[in-house]
């Protein structure tokens, strides 16, 4: 599986990124993969490789590139519960500087770069994300409805907030099909209801599903939250979504 480390030109500098794609010398649909708060690391690189093995060009940008190349914060091989609070404490200043304005500027750059790669075919891309990356994927799709045909978010965060530009308020702009795979503690039932109501009102094709027996972070095998059956369910939902929405040569 070919992989590359790339530099994406942005209005604020150069974003380092990991890319994986099939080794078949042809063009493939593009997938922009937004990481969780822990960022680009072997776990996400392996996720990209596995997805690329199904016929996609997968681009995983370092969301914190303004602060340095990945990993901006040194991470243990396994992010167990005993070290998680300290790691999160180091990451929170980076998360808090990642404003909506920056997210949207970066989304422009990431999508433009992805679709310009010689291994990426014509046609729409997908935006997928984990944890806070789910909200970034939703914002990207809402800002680029002509370029993003699928959105998937897993153990999402920050989809329903009190902010005027909360992602759930942006769904009228979506043309993408959406799948959200939640754990039982990702969002309150009221927030899930509010999100579903917004998606229904906008006429968006979507599924929101609570994956049984999971906690936040269930797809990540380098954390204590990992749930192998839920990771498989994630693939069982994600691959059909991409298969029916993206153009395969």
């Amino acid at each position: 599986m070919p992989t590359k480390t790339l530099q994406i030109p942005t209005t604020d500098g150069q974003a380092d990124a990991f890319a994986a794609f099939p080794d078949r010398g042809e063009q493939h649909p593009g997938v922009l993969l937004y990481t969780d708060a822990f960022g680009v690391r072997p776990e996400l690189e392996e996720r990209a490789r596995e997805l690329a093995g199904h016929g996609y060009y997968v681009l995983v940008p370092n969301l914190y590139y303004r602060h340095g190349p990945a990993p901006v914060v040194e991470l243990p091989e396994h992010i167990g519960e005993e070290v998680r609070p300290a790691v999160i404490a180091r990451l929170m200043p980076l998360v808090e500087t990642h404003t909506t304005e920056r997210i949207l500027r970066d989304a422009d750059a990431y999508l433009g770069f992805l679709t310009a790669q010689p291994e990426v075919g014509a046609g729409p891309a997908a935006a997928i994300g984990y944890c806070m990356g789910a909200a970034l994927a939703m914002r990207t799709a809402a800002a680029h409805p002509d370029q993003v045909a699928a959105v998937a978010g897993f153990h999402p965060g920050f989809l329903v907030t009190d902010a005027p530009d909360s992602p759930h308020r942006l769904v009228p702009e979506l043309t993408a099909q959406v799948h959200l795979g939640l754990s039982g503690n990702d969002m309150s039932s009221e927030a899930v209801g509010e999100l579903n109501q917004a998606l229904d009102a906008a006429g968006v094709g979507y599924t929101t599903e609570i994956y049984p027996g999971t906690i936040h972070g269930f797809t990540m095998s380098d954390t204590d939250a990992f749930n192998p059956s839920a990771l498989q369910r994630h693939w069982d939902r994600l691959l059909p979504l991409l298969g029916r929405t993206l153009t395969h040569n």
Side-chain angles (χ1 to χ4, degrees), residues 164-179:
D165 65 346
S166 170
H168 80 286
R169 303 188 205 282
L170 306 177
V171 296
E173 308 301 321
L174 292 177
T175 58
Q177 294 187 32
V178 177
H179 173 75

Side-chain angles (χ1 to χ4, degrees), residues 31-34 61 63 98 100 102-112 114-115 125-129 132-152 159 165 167 170 173-176:
V31 176
L32 176 58
L33 191 160
Y34 285 111
L63 305 179
H98 205 57
T100 300
R102 286 184 170 185
I103 291 166
L104 293 177
R105 288 205 303 272
D106 288 349
D108 287 347
Y110 299 159
L111 271 181
L114 173 63
T115 55
I128 70 175
M132 72 176 199
L136 274 56
M138 188 82 81
R139 290 190 186 282
T140 300
H144 299 273
D146 56 332
Q147 289 183 273
V148 180
V151 172
L159 287 180
D165 65 346
L170 306 177
E173 308 301 321
L174 292 177
T175 58

Side-chain angles (χ1 to χ4, degrees), residues 17 24 38 47 54 61 109 121 126 150 168 205 207 241 246-248:
R24 296 200 288 270
F38 298 122
R47 185 71 42 88
H54 293 279
H168 80 286
T207 55
L241 171 69
L246 302 187
T247 306
H248 293 257

Side-chain angles (χ1 to χ4, degrees), residues 41-43 74-80 82-83 87 220-224:
R41 59 194 191 283
E43 174 75 12
E74 189 175 343
L75 299 170
E77 193 171 316
H78 184 84
I79 308 166
E82 71 285 355
V83 298
V87 174
M220 299 299 170
S221 69
D222 61 350
T223 74
D224 289 351

Side-chain angles (χ1 to χ4, degrees), residues 171-172 174-176 196-206:
V171 296
L174 292 177
T175 58
N196 288 347
Q197 188 175 18
L199 290 161
D200 284 331
V204 174
Y206 76 96

Side-chain angles (χ1 to χ4, degrees), residues 36 50 56 65 151:
D36 59 4
E50 185 164 352
Y56 300 96
Y65 70 87
V151 172

